[in-house]
Amino acid sequence: MTLEIKTFSIPDDQPDGAQADLAAFLRTVEVSRIDTAYAPGAWRVLVLYQDLRRKEESQQIEASIAAALGLWRDRTATTEDLSRDAVLPDDLLQEIARFAPTTGHELSIILGTRSSDFDARAPEIVQVVRTTLEELID
């Protein structure tokens, strides 16, 4: 989870507008932490947050990649008369969808010690991820 930081200043002489801006911002994010401090003339508010739109986008991208990998796995399993798990186990499919590797090297890091089991399929897996990402961009 990537956190972002935003600061606000709420002046003593006109706090209403600044407070409304802060409130509107807080409705659009998932807050991890808020720190406040008073400096002469204004409150300073530091917000550590995750943007909910980005979080939702990430979840949609991950779901799209998982679906595409699932279709590829089903076709490959049928063509080669293998079980779906023999082609790509569910846990690995989800890890690949989560990290969206676009190179063989990135995929090998995700696969870790299991990489030798999937070396032959690595180019196909990477291509499915790339194609899915390209389709989402268009």
Side-chain angles (χ1 to χ4, degrees):
M1 171 167 67
T2 303
L3 293 178
E4 299 180 47
I5 299 172
K6 185 163 180 145
T7 59
F8 293 86
S9 179
I10 302 176
D12 289 341
D13 57 348
Q14 295 181 350
D16 293 339
Q19 287 175 339
D21 290 344
L22 175 59
F25 173 77
L26 292 175
R27 284 191 293 274
T28 65
V29 298
E30 184 175 298
V31 175
S32 175
R33 179 177 173 175
I34 296 178
D35 288 322
T36 59
Y38 186 77
W43 278 97
R44 308 286 187 238
V45 180
L46 175 82
V47 181
L48 275 72
Y49 68 95
Q50 182 176 19
D51 189 323
L52 292 176
R53 290 170 296 201
R54 287 189 189 149
K55 182 177 179 180
E56 184 177 319
E57 284 176 6
S58 295
Q59 290 171 336
Q60 289 173 350
I61 291 168
E62 186 176 327
S64 294
I65 292 171
L69 285 170
L71 289 172
W72 167 81
R73 177 178 68 174
D74 290 346
R75 282 193 308 268
T76 303
T78 300
T79 302
E80 297 180 14
D81 196 30
L82 297 169
S83 72
R84 293 171 39 170
D85 276 351
V87 174
L88 187 65
D90 287 336
D91 63 323
L92 216 44
L93 185 146
Q94 293 303 321
E95 279 295 295
I96 293 167
R98 180 174 170 218
F99 291 105
T102 57
T103 67
H105 178 70
E106 290 173 349
L107 179 60
S108 70
I109 292 169
I110 294 166
L111 296 174
T113 59
R114 297 163 77 174
S115 94
S116 62
D117 297 340
F118 300 99
D119 282 345
R121 300 191 196 287
E124 291 176 72
I125 293 169
V126 168
Q127 187 58 47
V128 169
V129 173
R130 281 186 188 164
T131 302
T132 304
L133 291 174
E134 288 170 2
E135 288 171 358
L136 291 172
I137 291 171
D138 292 339

